[in-house]
Amino acid sequence: MRFNRTAKKVLFTATFGLCLGAFEGFAQKREGSIQDEAIEVEKTRKIELQPQVSRGFDPLEEAQDLRKDRKMKYNLVDRKWEGTSLPKINNSIVDPREGDELTSSYGPKFKNVFKVGAGNYGHTLMNAHFGFTPNENSFHGLYINHDANRRGPVATSFSGRNENEIKVYSKTFTPTYLLNGSIGYKRVEANWYGRPEEQFNNMANGTFGVYYDRFNYVGSISSAKKDAKFDYIATSGLTMMSTSQNEREWIWDSKIQTVLTINDNLSAHFSGDMTMSEYASLENNRRELYRVKPSFFYKNDRVSVHAGINVVNEKDKLKGINTTSLFPVVKLDYKAANFIHFFAGLGGDTYFNTLSQMAAQNPWLRNQIDLRNTAQTANVFGGFKGSNERSFDFEFKFMYSEFSNLSFFVPSTADSSKYTVIYAGDLKKAQVMNFSGQFNYQLNERFLSVLKYDINQYENLGSLEKAYHRPAMNISFTNSITFKDKIIISPDVFYMNGLYGLNPRTNTAVAMKDIIDLNLKVNYLITKKFNAAVSANNLLGKNYERYLFYPSQGLNYTVSVAYSF
């Protein structure tokens, strides 16, 4: 397997930088050690229950006071390959745009927010959150989001987009358990502007796009006793989606995670989940997935071992599938010094693919797509991570995996502006070699910088000439700089290369141009209640394509004001 020269240079530079950072951490070592990587039931108030929901909704967490001393804490957990995930560049019209998460730099007193904004390409933005606390043990909230572009990069209104969302939720805290629940509705509208421009002249306004209506309910109950020997969290959610292409899908997803502490060194873990779904187009297809994962976790001052099994049963009514797979779960973590850990492991899993997930990644889907589960039949990984517990932490990881039914987006032969889903790894498993890394640096409470890189090499794709729309390299460099607790400047850089698309008109692979996206956001806190922000995206003004035939917006900007109370 070979990487191109650019990938090799970036990999060498990042690896050298991580090793240099580790050496510096040794020279500046302080008392303490990085956290052993135990499997723990999360106790924070932010619990993301449904990965297919595009927004991790919890804008009301008390913002940390930027003027207080802070100890760095980053979540450097095992990187888990999602069979359908595709790296995104969030500011681009190529992906449904996310509304900004609403937080206040001045703490819980000002956590209700009303925000409006406007920009070029006919951009309109409105975020609102209203919450109240009837007593000290409960919290209720309402969230509303509107984010749309009346015009786009091609043929003005023919490439517009629209996103609207409303959500209500409730939280209840008691000495023994925590309850969370939310109900939401979201509509995403996207136009098929990837077709030849002359075709727009024969189409009436409003008939050249697709919309997705999603209704979602999710609830959870978890233990509130942090020092209890037995800990748990149970979640259950229902997602129902319909489209303008006469498609319907419902997904019922439930999961439970438990931890039993046996002694200071040993704990027993169990997780189980059930997913049931029905996708209705020309035919109704019922699919199910059941998973149980018992394991044990042992740790001492130097070594931690997590070992168990992962048993997965999947069913597909139309395809006549009813199979059970067993995967090992093994991870070894060795603390070589107070500032660095080495880790290695192996495993495997099966990922449940849905229309809702596919449309969240690529909204330009034709109807009647083929839905299959992606199985990671083999997974071996290793790497190192560390922190000086003051100013930086890092992780470098290598992973080799084999997949069956690894999904790819390609334009439809009948209509190149509509995408379909194809799969690789049927008879012979698709192979993926991955290098990933992350480096977080915090000079003080006013400067934070995060560098991430992800390099992939794909082999054994069967009849597919290339790994369509999966980049070979994905790099992000995000920063936050605060001046006098009033002005926050956030310059970001995103880079992708190695993208290929399939041109159905010629049935050939098309090498797509590299993506370099420079963004800048300036937030000015006028008072404790008012702030103004200006964000400029794609400063180079390149109409790059994340998906073939769909150019992104050029230079785009948004001016917004927000009132917190």
Side-chain angles (χ1 to χ4, degrees):
M1 297 181 184
R2 300 175 184 171
F3 292 103
N4 58 39
R5 292 184 177 179
T6 304
K8 289 180 178 178
K9 289 180 180 179
V10 172
L11 177 59
F12 174 79
T13 303
T15 305
F16 178 77
L18 293 178
C19 294
L20 182 61
F23 179 78
E24 179 185 346
F26 180 81
Q28 300 177 358
K29 184 177 69 174
R30 303 175 62 187
E31 291 185 3
S33 61
I34 67 177
Q35 187 72 24
D36 288 329
E37 191 168 10
I39 307 298
E40 296 180 355
V41 174
E42 187 65 35
K43 288 297 187 177
T44 61
R45 299 296 189 231
K46 183 173 181 177
I47 303 174
E48 297 181 2
L49 303 175
Q50 292 284 346
Q52 64 265 30
V53 177
S54 62
R55 179 183 301 279
F57 177 74
D58 252 324
L60 298 184
E61 298 306 315
E62 178 176 348
Q64 197 164 15
D65 192 338
L66 298 177
R67 292 160 290 187
K68 294 181 180 179
D69 292 336
R70 296 183 298 181
K71 181 180 179 180
M72 286 186 63
K73 186 177 181 181
Y74 292 96
N75 186 26
L76 291 176
V77 299
D78 279 349
R79 186 176 177 279
K80 189 175 184 180
W81 178 279
E82 294 292 346
T84 60
S85 65
L86 286 166
K88 295 183 178 182
I89 293 180
N90 292 327
N91 73 285
S92 170
I93 195 173
V94 169
D95 295 302
R97 192 186 305 253
E98 298 285 346
D100 289 342
E101 186 178 14
L102 300 177
T103 58
S104 170
S105 299
Y106 294 98
K109 184 178 179 180
F110 304 99
K111 56 192 173 184
N112 291 337
V113 181
F114 181 77
K115 177 180 179 180
V116 293
N120 63 339
Y121 290 99
H123 183 211
T124 54
L125 171 69
M126 191 275 287
N127 293 124
H129 176 267
F130 308 98
F132 70 98
T133 306
N135 55 64
E136 63 181 5
N137 294 325
S138 63
F139 194 94
H140 311 295
L142 168 68
Y143 179 78
I144 300 172
N145 178 58
H146 164 78
D147 188 3
N149 288 92
R150 190 165 56 88
R151 297 183 298 275
V154 176
T156 62
S157 62
F158 287 93
S159 54
R161 50 164 294 279
N162 197 0
E163 177 183 319
N164 295 283
E165 180 180 9
I166 183 170
K167 184 173 290 190
V168 295
Y169 72 95
S170 178
K171 299 184 177 187
T172 301
F173 315 107
T174 75
T176 56
Y177 60 84
L178 311 176
L179 292 176
N180 285 269
S182 69
I183 299 176
Y185 166 78
K186 184 174 183 178
R187 168 174 277 206
V188 174
E189 300 177 24
N191 291 341
W192 286 304
Y193 65 90
R195 60 189 58 185
E197 196 165 337
E198 60 270 13
Q199 294 185 14
F200 293 126
N201 299 325
N202 300 321
M203 301 179 66
N205 190 32
T207 64
F208 43 80
V210 60
Y211 66 77
Y212 301 91
D213 287 325
R214 291 185 181 91
F215 169 83
N216 175 258
Y217 162 77
V218 65
S220 72
I221 180 172
S222 60
S223 170
K225 298 180 179 180
K226 289 191 175 183
D227 298 327
K229 287 190 174 183
F230 179 73
D231 210 350
Y232 67 90
I233 178 171
T235 67
S236 186
L238 176 65
T239 298
M240 303 181 69
M241 187 174 77
S242 61
T243 79
S244 56
Q245 301 184 101
N246 297 319
E247 296 174 293
R248 299 183 307 278
E249 180 183 64
W250 61 260
I251 308 161
W252 178 27
D253 188 11
S254 298
K255 185 174 184 177
I256 184 169
Q257 295 173 280
T258 66
V259 177
L260 175 63
T261 302
I262 300 173
N263 54 46
D264 292 340
N265 302 107
L266 184 64
S267 57
H269 300 254
F270 176 83
S271 66
D273 56 278
M274 175 197 71
T275 304
M276 301 179 66
S277 173
E278 184 169 284
Y279 169 57
S281 184
L282 290 180
E283 297 181 288
N284 293 4
N285 189 22
R286 174 71 64 85
R287 298 163 58 231
E288 303 172 16
L289 186 142
Y290 305 91
R291 179 181 6 246
V292 294
K293 188 186 295 185
S295 60
F296 288 90
F297 182 79
Y298 171 83
K299 66 176 181 178
N300 58 31
D301 293 338
R302 285 286 182 184
V303 178
S304 66
V305 180
H306 179 213
I309 57 172
N310 181 14
V311 183
V312 182
N313 174 260
E314 55 180 324
K315 298 179 181 179
D316 188 307
K317 179 181 177 182
L318 288 182
K319 294 182 174 63
I321 296 175
N322 186 351
T323 61
T324 300
S325 305
L326 189 150
F327 307 98
V329 176
V330 178
K331 180 178 179 183
L332 173 66
D333 188 294
Y334 173 68
K335 184 170 69 172
N338 284 337
F339 72 96
I340 189 167
H341 283 217
F342 294 92
F343 60 87
L346 57 91
D349 211 340
T350 300
Y351 304 103
F352 194 85
N353 296 327
T354 65
L355 174 64
S356 181
Q357 291 171 333
M358 299 289 186
Q361 296 171 51
N362 182 345
W364 302 294
L365 296 178
R366 73 168 197 181
N367 60 353
Q368 304 172 37
I369 65 171
D370 182 17
L371 293 175
R372 307 180 191 177
N373 296 335
T374 297
Q376 187 183 40
T377 57
N379 174 231
V380 181
F381 61 89
F384 59 91
K385 61 184 178 179
S387 172
N388 69 350
E389 296 191 338
R390 184 183 63 177
S391 59
F392 72 83
D393 53 16
F394 60 89
E395 181 185 63
F396 174 78
K397 185 174 182 179
F398 164 78
M399 182 166 60
Y400 170 80
S401 299
E402 295 183 354
F403 293 93
S404 62
N405 292 330
L406 184 59
S407 62
F408 299 89
F409 291 115
V410 296
S412 170
T413 303
D415 185 346
S416 61
S417 66
K418 298 182 180 182
Y419 274 74
T420 188
V421 182
I422 60 177
Y423 298 88
D426 225 352
L427 299 176
K428 192 174 182 180
K429 300 297 184 290
Q431 299 175 346
V432 182
M433 184 183 295
N434 170 263
F435 293 92
S436 61
Q438 179 171 338
F439 185 87
N440 308 303
Y441 180 71
Q442 184 171 356
L443 178 63
N444 49 44
E445 69 273 9
R446 300 179 184 274
F447 179 81
L448 173 64
S449 185
V450 178
L451 172 66
K452 298 181 181 179
Y453 72 90
D454 198 355
I455 302 173
N456 293 288
Q457 177 77 30
Y458 297 87
E459 299 286 350
N460 292 336
L461 297 180
S463 61
L464 301 188
E465 185 179 350
K466 298 290 183 180
Y468 297 118
H469 293 105
R470 291 187 180 270
M473 180 185 298
N474 188 27
I475 300 175
S476 66
F477 183 48
T478 57
N479 304 272
S480 178
I481 308 169
T482 303
F483 296 95
K484 297 182 178 180
D485 299 321
K486 288 287 186 179
I487 301 175
I488 303 173
I489 300 178
S490 304
D492 301 326
V493 182
F494 300 92
Y495 174 74
M496 282 187 190
N497 84 342
L499 280 170
Y500 285 88
L502 176 64
N503 188 340
R505 303 162 189 168
T506 60
N507 198 31
T508 57
V510 177
M512 302 168 65
K513 293 182 179 180
D514 294 354
I515 295 174
I516 302 178
D517 198 320
L518 306 181
N519 305 324
L520 178 65
K521 182 173 182 179
V522 179
N523 195 339
Y524 178 53
L525 306 177
I526 303 172
T527 69
K528 287 188 176 182
K529 291 188 176 182
F530 284 97
N531 74 283
V534 178
S535 62
N537 302 315
N538 197 1
L539 293 175
L540 298 180
K542 303 294 185 180
N543 294 107
Y544 57 79
E545 295 182 0
R546 179 62 182 86
Y547 293 98
L548 191 63
F549 307 131
Y550 281 93
S552 68
Q553 294 175 347
L555 172 63
N556 60 93
Y557 59 84
T558 301
V559 179
S560 62
V561 293
Y563 174 72
S564 305
F565 57 96

